[in-house]
Amino acid sequence: MPIKVPLDAVPAQYREIEADIKAAVSAEFSKKDILRSFLKKSKLRDEKLEQIWELLQLSEDDVTSEQVFAALALVAWAQQGRELSHHLFDSQTSGLPSVYLGPSSRLRYCDLVRIDTIDIELVPEKKGLFIKHVEYLVSSKRFDSRVNRRYNDFIALYEVLLNRFPYRLIPKLPPKRMIVGASASMLLGAADTQFIEERRRSLTRWLTLVARHPTISTDPILHYFLTAPVDDLQFKIRETFRRMPDEFATSEFAVAKELVPADSTSEFATSREQIRVILQGVSRIKQIAENFATRSYAYADDVGELASQLNKLAVEPGGNSEWATGGNSTWTNMKRGFSLISREMSVMSGKASSLAQCEETEVCERLRSLSDVLAGHADLCERVEKGVASDHQKALSKMLALKRRQMQGVLRGSDAESVETLERRMLAQESMIASVEQRAAFSLHCVHMETQLVHAQLEVLAGVLNTLVDVQANGHAQLAGIWRAIHPTVSKCLPENQRSS
């Protein structure tokens, strides 16, 4: 049965690879030959490649675009350790996985965005008698799903994913804080409401980054979290996936040491330092953008308060008697102008508030997401360095200790049985060292992929700066226009001897 590929789910990366394949076709090499050579760059085992060819059911004549896309998707799933089948395409309505075909493979931000769109809303009802648990309605566009989740469910997902993907970029969750005590039974205070809203936004950013990860996005753990209509998910997700091996145990790349270049250790250090510097810069830019938004909100509040006070003056109940004014009509004219000005300033307050909201959502939130990615990369590098490097050093130290015992046994003339036992232990330790070195190579390959993922996310920064400039230029131009429109009204309120010519 031929594979049906959802063409609207095909990432730009696939189309670029197909264009490269078409460009390489000649009288000597057919499109099928070129496709085969491209797929060999994936470093998959020959038997896995043959399985892909069987699933594709290619004819001898030609290869269609849909078959090329299907081949790339199957390679990507094989690289993730998935069981290959044409049924994998049935649920892929958006976002086929990214494929690795050597250093020339390009990952772009637009490919990541198309994988999924996550939305998280607060569930109004607070549950629990003494401890009030906030619930969230989590929606996934990719799976067309809506499920209720609690913060502890996110913690469980984070822990399970970290066990499954120890060498992938998984940002840290926002901090937890419970609402406890007598005040919890009442309406939430302003500080609590603000904290919960900030955590909702943080969880949205976190889950969006996870759901758009080229590898994690196709894993059954994430699918379970986004679709399973179960209560107590924090317990069930741990129980369901506790025996699931980590990525190293299932990935085709686990035995492909040639994927890791000879200078990978120095490249690891260089890229780690580069992203550390970028994180510092982005964090500072984020802080400045947040200051802009804070000032815009304060500006909107101040203009709104100014409009309110002018309106109060416009309707003040004092009379206009001869005794009070001495026949001077200036205050009456001013009150009439105040009413007009307050209406214009109310409009200006709304415009300033919209400007602040745009700065918050289109600039600050996107910078926070980018900052989360960069910080996640720093955490990943630390995990790899402390985990794999430490295991390797321990294995080498143990082997050195065994060799010392062997030398001491030779000098003492130990019996044959003791020597044989020691040799068995040394052989087992050599196997352990080989396994640790293989895992270290795989972890460096993953960091290489995650570093490319970070650079794809960095495309956001240019767009954010462009948005910031547009918001400032257009927003302040609108405000300036309102100020100019108010000016003639203000002039009419002035005594004749104070009006500008």
Side-chain angles (χ1 to χ4, degrees):
M1 182 175 66
I3 294 175
K4 296 294 183 183
V5 178
L7 296 180
D8 58 342
V10 174
Q13 181 198 26
Y14 285 24
R15 300 188 186 279
E16 291 171 359
I17 293 173
E18 188 205 14
D20 292 339
I21 290 173
K22 286 181 177 178
V25 174
S26 64
E28 186 177 357
F29 297 105
S30 67
K31 190 174 181 180
K32 187 175 180 180
D33 295 329
I34 301 301
L35 175 61
R36 186 181 289 272
S37 67
F38 266 69
L39 297 194
K40 284 185 177 180
K41 296 179 182 179
S42 66
K43 304 298 182 181
L44 293 175
R45 297 179 184 133
D46 290 340
E47 56 267 27
K48 189 64 70 173
L49 289 173
E50 288 305 317
Q51 184 184 357
I52 291 172
W53 287 117
E54 291 176 7
L55 287 170
L56 291 174
Q57 298 181 359
L58 298 178
S59 66
E60 294 296 328
D61 301 328
D62 194 16
V63 179
T64 66
S65 296
E66 190 173 11
Q67 288 172 324
V68 171
F69 301 148
L72 296 174
L74 288 168
V75 167
W77 280 317
Q79 291 171 341
Q80 295 171 8
R82 302 284 295 275
E83 289 295 325
L84 298 185
S85 164
H86 64 274
H87 295 300
L88 288 170
F89 293 89
D90 296 342
S91 61
Q92 297 299 318
T93 55
S94 64
L96 291 172
S98 297
V99 63
Y100 178 75
L101 298 180
S104 61
S105 296
R106 288 191 299 167
L107 182 64
R108 302 191 310 180
Y109 180 70
C110 61
D111 299 329
L112 304 175
V113 171
R114 294 179 72 252
I115 293 176
D116 202 354
T117 299
I118 298 294
D119 185 51
I120 298 180
E121 303 172 18
L122 286 173
V123 177
E125 181 184 1
K126 308 296 182 298
K127 299 186 177 180
L129 185 59
F130 299 107
I131 301 178
K132 301 300 177 180
H133 301 292
V134 178
E135 284 200 353
Y136 304 93
L137 180 62
V138 178
S139 304
S140 165
K141 182 179 178 181
R142 177 184 182 187
F143 298 112
D144 191 23
S145 61
R146 291 165 67 85
V147 290
N148 278 22
R149 296 290 182 254
R150 283 168 42 182
Y151 180 77
N152 285 341
D153 299 332
F154 284 87
I155 293 177
L157 173 64
Y158 174 75
E159 292 173 354
V160 173
L161 286 178
L162 211 56
N163 288 330
R164 169 75 173 131
F165 299 102
Y167 313 124
R168 296 294 181 180
L169 197 160
I170 305 176
K172 290 182 178 177
L173 281 169
K176 179 178 183 177
R177 191 186 77 179
M178 292 188 297
I179 304 167
V180 188
S183 62
S185 60
M186 306 176 187
L187 290 176
L188 294 172
D192 291 325
T193 303
Q194 181 181 1
F195 170 79
I196 290 174
E197 172 57 22
E198 288 176 355
R199 191 170 71 178
R200 182 198 66 79
R201 292 201 302 263
S202 297
L203 289 174
T204 303
R205 294 196 306 270
W206 182 85
L207 189 55
T208 297
L209 292 172
V210 169
R212 289 177 176 176
H213 191 286
T215 300
I216 299 174
S217 62
T218 61
D219 195 80
I221 295 175
L222 183 67
H223 179 270
Y224 185 84
F225 181 87
L226 291 175
T227 61
V230 298
D231 297 324
D232 296 327
L233 181 128
Q234 58 175 309
F235 304 110
K236 293 180 180 178
I237 196 171
R238 289 187 177 105
E239 177 63 25
T240 303
F241 298 102
R242 64 188 176 88
R243 291 189 177 89
M244 196 172 194
D246 74 358
E247 187 185 9
F248 173 74
T250 60
S251 176
E252 287 281 341
F253 283 173
V255 295
K257 283 189 176 182
E258 62 270 22
L259 290 175
V260 182
D263 58 348
S264 57
T265 303
S266 62
E267 287 288 349
F268 170 82
T270 301
S271 63
R272 183 181 186 180
E273 175 62 18
Q274 180 192 35
I275 291 177
R276 185 191 67 80
V277 172
I278 295 173
L279 173 59
Q280 288 181 340
V282 169
S283 297
R284 183 65 183 124
I285 293 171
K286 174 175 69 70
Q287 185 179 14
I288 293 169
E290 289 170 344
N291 291 341
F292 282 177
T294 299
R295 286 195 292 268
S296 294
Y297 278 121
Y299 181 84
D301 291 343
D302 288 343
V303 173
E305 178 64 16
L306 179 56
S308 175
Q309 294 304 320
L310 287 174
N311 187 60
K312 288 180 180 179
L313 292 176
V315 297
E316 63 87 17
N320 296 311
S321 65
E322 182 74 18
W323 186 89
T325 64
N328 190 334
S329 62
T330 298
W331 180 243
T332 302
N333 293 334
M334 289 175 67
K335 286 172 62 177
R336 192 179 302 114
F338 292 162
S339 179
L340 296 173
I341 295 169
S342 68
R343 288 198 291 269
E344 293 289 345
M345 286 195 168
S346 293
V347 173
M348 184 187 298
S349 177
K351 291 282 187 182
S353 181
S354 297
L355 170 64
Q357 290 173 9
C358 191
E359 288 173 337
E360 177 69 28
T361 57
E362 298 299 320
V363 178
C364 296
E365 274 298 295
R366 292 165 71 188
L367 285 171
R368 289 170 190 144
S369 180
L370 181 56
S371 181
D372 291 344
V373 170
L374 294 165
H377 186 274
D379 293 337
L380 169 63
C381 291
E382 187 173 353
R383 279 202 309 273
V384 169
E385 191 172 60
K386 287 185 176 180
V388 178
S390 175
D391 290 344
H392 191 209
Q393 187 59 45
K394 289 177 182 176
L396 290 176
S397 298
K398 189 172 181 180
M399 174 59 82
L400 182 60
L402 290 172
K403 287 184 176 180
R404 284 175 179 167
R405 290 180 58 186
Q406 183 186 44
M407 290 297 297
Q408 291 170 357
V410 170
L411 293 174
R412 290 197 306 265
S414 300
D415 57 80
E417 184 177 354
S418 298
V419 172
E420 184 179 348
T421 301
L422 190 60
E423 287 178 347
R424 281 201 304 269
R425 292 181 63 184
M426 289 177 65
L427 285 174
Q429 193 61 24
E430 285 177 357
S431 177
M432 173 67 73
I433 291 173
S435 177
V436 171
E437 288 178 346
Q438 198 170 57
R439 181 175 281 272
F442 177 74
S443 69
L444 285 175
H445 167 70
C446 288
V447 173
H448 177 206
M449 294 295 96
E450 300 309 285
T451 304
Q452 291 186 2
L453 176 64
V454 170
H455 280 272
Q457 294 275 6
L458 281 173
E459 295 177 21
V460 171
L461 186 56
V464 167
L465 293 176
N466 184 60
T467 301
L468 178 62
V469 172
D470 285 345
V471 167
Q472 296 298 319
N474 297 331
H476 288 293
Q478 292 179 26
L479 296 178
I482 297 174
W483 280 116
R484 284 192 293 270
I486 293 174
H487 190 265
T489 304
V490 175
S491 296
K492 291 178 182 178
C493 296
L494 296 172
E496 291 187 8
N497 61 345
Q498 294 183 26
R499 295 178 186 176
S500 58
S501 54

